[in-house]
Amino acid sequence: MNSIIITGGAGFIGSHLVRRMVKKYPETKIINLDALTYAGNLENLRDIENESNYTFEKVDICDFSAVISAFKKHNPDGIIHLAAESHVDRSISNPIAFVNTNVVGTVNLLNAARELWKDNMDGKRFHHVSTDEVYGSLGDTGFFEETTAYDPRSPYSASKASSDHFVNAYFHTFKVPVIMTNCSNNYGPYQFPEKLIPLMINNIIQKKALPVYGKGLNIRDWLYVEDHAAAIDLVFHKGKLGESYNIGGKNEWKNIDLVRLLCQQMDEKLGRTKGESEELITFVTDRAGHDLRYAIDSSKIEKELNWFPSLQFEDGLSKTIDWYLENKEWLQRVTSGEYAGYYDEMYKNR
Ligand code: NAD
Ligand code: DAU
């Protein structure tokens, strides 16, 4: 492809994908289109920002005229759409922001692609990056398959499910060449410390309470972020148009067990007494509508595209902790300013 627009490229997963694509496809122009909300940070891309095939455009996807002018300026053959409001707890405090960015923003991008590609859709691709949360909550057994009925239960997952439906509707109604992936929980460097793993790492460093929701029995399936970026790259280039692919780590952890493992690994790395950080664990009021378990059946992407997760969780977690310990300035910068207010509001009365 000549040029690819990646939305949300200054965020956690987006920055890993932008870095991968800029390095792997030097002949392709990679345009990072991002509004730089609290979750977007160009510092995440400092190492590649001067590459000749990389460009940044500050655009809010809710603003159609800004989107269409960026599309016309760069004339992309491909769009990979990650920009979103992504944190479930924030969606409980402020659902409408999720409707605006995740639903309206996605439809704006679909309309812009339709307009740009109206004379010839051949060789074009619109890849929508979605989540396993659209499938709802599992009991003790079972896995989400691509054919599992949607059953979103938080404002975040409802907004992602809605965007998925629009993506599919544009494929059938307007023949926009879409493809979709639904992935499980990601972890790794550059994740904003509102999400479980970096929040706990930051609190352990600072010897602050570790707020585990409810009894810590909810289960998530964790995947290293670079494995997700590799899967998106593969599906974007080789997947079948109009289809969706589930991506997961085959790596289910109860929250409390994960937090304990994190405490153990960090005590060792920080030279603390064994068990010291575990004493910081504090059980707090549960998240409203907290989904019990997510687990992905990723056999479709394995069989059709030969994708598999590359890292063992213990190794990925250790690598992730090392990154945060080596990048304490990054952590300090992103937790200064409005983060303290957010943390207070979210955790003070729990
Ligand atoms: P993130 O919150 O770290 O980053 C989101 C990015 O989108 C930020 O750079 C932000 O500035 C940008 N953005 C937000 N609103 C925007 C707007 N209106 N216009 C333009 N840019 C805007 O998110 P993430 O965790 O990297 O997730 C990326 C995508 O992957 C999301 O679509 C999310 O639903 C999906 N996803 C995330 C996970 C996960 O575990 N984090 C798992 C599966 C799917
Ligand atoms: O499954 C994919 C989804 O994973 C993505 O679509 C979302 O964008 C991403 O945020 C993530 O959603 P979760 O809600 O699963 O992630 P989070 O890190 O917020 O929480 C993981 C689990 O840890 C969840 O069961 C809630 C719990 N938790 C979270 C926080 C922030 C705690 O117990 N304490 C906390 O302080």
Side-chain angles (χ1 to χ4, degrees), residues 8-295:
F12 165 50
I13 302 168
S15 62
H16 287 274
L17 183 69
V18 166
R19 179 175 297 100
R20 177 186 178 91
M21 304 290 273
V22 164
K23 289 186 172 167
K24 192 168 163 198
Y25 305 108
E27 303 303 321
T28 303
K29 280 201 294 170
I30 305 295
I31 300 103
N32 172 14
L33 198 144
D34 198 298
L36 299 183
T37 68
Y38 78 93
N41 184 355
L42 290 178
E43 208 183 325
N44 298 357
L45 291 163
R46 196 86 337 136
D47 56 322
I48 56 103
E49 68 185 3
N50 294 322
E51 296 297 334
S52 57
N53 63 335
Y54 171 73
T55 313
F56 171 68
E57 291 279 358
K58 188 169 187 303
V59 170
D60 182 342
I61 59 167
C62 298
D63 177 354
F64 180 74
S65 63
V67 171
I68 191 75
S69 45
F71 275 36
K72 286 187 172 155
K73 177 174 166 193
H74 294 286
N75 195 22
D77 315 293
I79 292 144
I80 311 183
H81 172 38
L82 294 94
E85 288 292 339
S86 68
H87 190 38
V88 174
D89 292 327
R90 288 185 194 253
S91 83
I92 297 168
S93 318
N94 184 18
I96 199 75
F98 287 68
V99 177
N100 290 335
T101 290
N102 299 358
V103 185
V104 178
T106 300
V107 177
N108 277 339
L109 292 166
L110 288 164
N111 280 336
R114 196 181 151 211
E115 163 76 19
L116 187 75
W117 297 337
K118 61 179 184 293
D119 294 330
N120 184 6
M121 301 249 184
D122 287 351
K124 309 292 194 287
R125 293 206 154 211
F126 185 112
H127 183 142
H128 178 60
V129 175
S130 193
T131 172
D132 61 355
E133 298 200 11
V134 297
Y135 298 119
S137 181
L138 291 165
D140 293 336
T141 57
F143 296 90
F144 297 136
E145 295 170 18
E146 286 80 0
T147 51
T148 302
Y150 275 30
D151 182 23
R153 294 152 44 103
S154 74
Y156 164 69
S157 53
S159 68
K160 291 296 289 188
S162 174
S163 66
D164 293 7
H165 289 318
F166 273 103
V167 167
N168 286 326
Y170 271 61
F171 179 73
H172 292 289
T173 308
F174 303 117
K175 313 290 175 229
V176 175
V178 304
I179 199 150
M180 183 151 64
T181 43
N182 295 76
C183 188
S184 65
N185 288 62
N186 284 217
Y187 70 99
Y190 299 110
Q191 189 169 30
F192 191 76
E194 63 186 352
K195 308 282 165 62
L196 180 72
I197 290 180
L199 184 141
M200 294 295 171
I201 292 176
N202 186 39
N203 286 14
I204 292 171
I205 293 173
Q206 296 186 41
K207 301 194 178 180
K208 271 173 66 174
L210 307 179
V212 173
Y213 297 168
K215 296 191 168 113
L217 300 179
N218 303 67
I219 295 173
R220 298 291 182 267
D221 169 5
W222 294 92
L223 179 70
Y224 193 67
V225 61
E226 287 179 3
D227 283 334
H228 186 192
I232 293 172
D233 180 4
L234 198 59
V235 172
F236 175 69
H237 285 102
K238 305 248 167 74
K240 282 195 203 116
L241 289 178
E243 301 224 349
S244 69
Y245 293 80
N246 282 353
I247 306 168
K250 291 204 175 103
N251 178 43
E252 293 180 47
W253 284 79
K254 273 195 188 103
N255 291 340
I256 185 64
D257 295 337
L258 191 163
V259 174
R260 290 207 171 105
L261 174 65
L262 203 51
C263 288
Q264 286 156 20
Q265 289 200 357
M266 287 199 63
D267 281 347
E268 264 182 52
K269 289 177 194 288
L270 293 167
R272 291 185 186 166
T273 325
K274 204 169 169 212
E276 195 179 324
S277 298
E278 277 194 33
E279 285 178 17
L280 299 168
I281 292 175
T282 311
F283 293 96
V284 300
T285 309
D286 210 349
R287 175 183 276 173
H290 197 173
D291 289 340
L292 177 65
R293 174 173 166 258
Y294 304 144

Side-chain angles (χ1 to χ4, degrees), residues 321-334:
I321 297 168
D322 289 344
W323 185 86
Y324 280 93
L325 293 178
E326 283 157 17
N327 290 276
K328 283 205 186 118
E329 298 77 20
W330 182 92
L331 201 49
Q332 266 154 17
R333 274 197 287 278
V334 301

